Amino acid sequence: LEIRLLILEPGQRGAAIRAAINICSLLHPVPFEALSYCWGENAETNPISIGNSEFQVRENLETALRYLRLENEPRTLWIDAICINQDDNHERSSQVQLMRFVYEKAERVTIWLGPESEDSPEAIQFVKHLVASGLTDAAVINSLRNKEYKRYWEALASLLKREYWTRIWILQEIVCAVEATIYIGQD
């Protein structure tokens, strides 16, 4: 029950992406985060450095790595497109069987919704407001009736229309999570 983990080296957002791969037992894993994201419709790839080799990743994953990379310390991630050899059907099949355990064993599931959009900051602000108000039925109904909140509801609706929410795998990835954190751009 072994998996590969990506050790994302620290750096600034614009710097080249450098990483290493470590092998880890799922029975006694080192602390890691499992990335939940969309591969994206754009199949164009960009290079990142893993060890001494160049590795091609889709544009959405490269963007995620740029935003999720920490400035001063490495970040350990399990990412299906990198940690599973996608060219080896046997490995891919056996690793897919382990995915539920990967998401259960991860310290956190890191959800990447993509870069921020014009209205995503308002959607995030609104979700924080709803959570702070206790998510009571009264608070939600009040915000639905209040015209001041119309643009916030529209921003939230826009956020919920992102491709990420159409993936069937997100149910497994989120339900198995001990903890989940959602990222939209730098938020």
Side-chain angles (χ1 to χ4, degrees):
L1 294 176
E2 291 184 333
I3 59 170
R4 292 182 190 93
L5 293 174
L6 181 82
I7 313 304
L8 183 60
E9 293 181 9
Q12 300 293 318
R13 187 171 309 142
I17 297 172
R18 306 187 72 66
I21 294 285
N22 281 350
I23 296 176
C24 155
S25 166
L26 267 180
L27 298 176
H28 306 288
V30 297
F32 72 95
E33 298 172 64
L35 183 62
S36 178
Y37 70 108
C38 282
W39 283 30
E41 293 179 18
N42 184 353
E44 289 186 36
T45 61
N46 296 312
I48 65 170
S49 295
I50 298 180
N52 295 325
S53 301
E54 190 175 272
F55 189 87
Q56 295 292 322
V57 296
R58 287 188 177 211
E59 191 174 311
N60 190 44
L61 179 52
E62 182 202 21
T63 302
L65 292 172
R66 289 192 180 285
Y67 278 93
L68 297 173
R69 171 173 47 190
L70 302 174
E71 287 188 19
N72 300 312
E73 61 185 278
R75 190 169 195 170
T76 304
L77 299 161
W78 181 87
I79 304 169
D80 59 356
I82 297 173
C83 297
I84 298 174
N85 181 350
Q86 299 298 320
D87 296 326
D88 182 332
N89 289 334
H90 177 70
E91 177 182 326
R92 191 172 65 218
S93 176
S94 66
Q95 289 288 307
V96 165
Q97 301 301 315
L98 296 176
M99 285 178 68
R100 178 177 67 103
F101 301 110
V102 169
Y103 284 92
E104 286 176 351
K105 294 290 187 176
E107 278 192 330
R108 173 183 308 108
V109 172
T110 298
I111 299 166
W112 172 251
L113 295 184
E116 63 187 33
S117 61
E118 187 176 306
D119 61 355
S120 62
E122 286 182 320
I124 293 166
Q125 180 183 356
F126 184 51
V127 169
K128 288 178 180 178
H129 165 76
L130 290 174
V131 169
S133 66
L135 289 176
T136 63
D137 291 344
V140 172
I141 290 169
N142 182 44
S143 68
L144 279 168
R145 292 181 178 154
N146 188 333
K147 290 180 183 178
E148 284 182 36
Y149 289 103
K150 181 180 181 200
R151 76 175 197 271
Y152 293 106
W153 278 109
E154 288 171 348
L156 183 56
S158 175
L159 190 69
L160 294 174
K161 290 178 184 172
R162 289 186 180 220
E163 180 187 7
Y164 176 83
W165 304 111
T166 66
R167 296 178 53 244
I168 194 163
W169 286 101
I170 66 168
L171 294 175
Q172 174 177 282
E173 295 167 3
I174 294 173
V175 168
C176 291
V178 173
E179 176 183 319
T181 304
I182 297 174
Y183 289 85
I184 305 161
Q186 61 188 4
D187 290 322

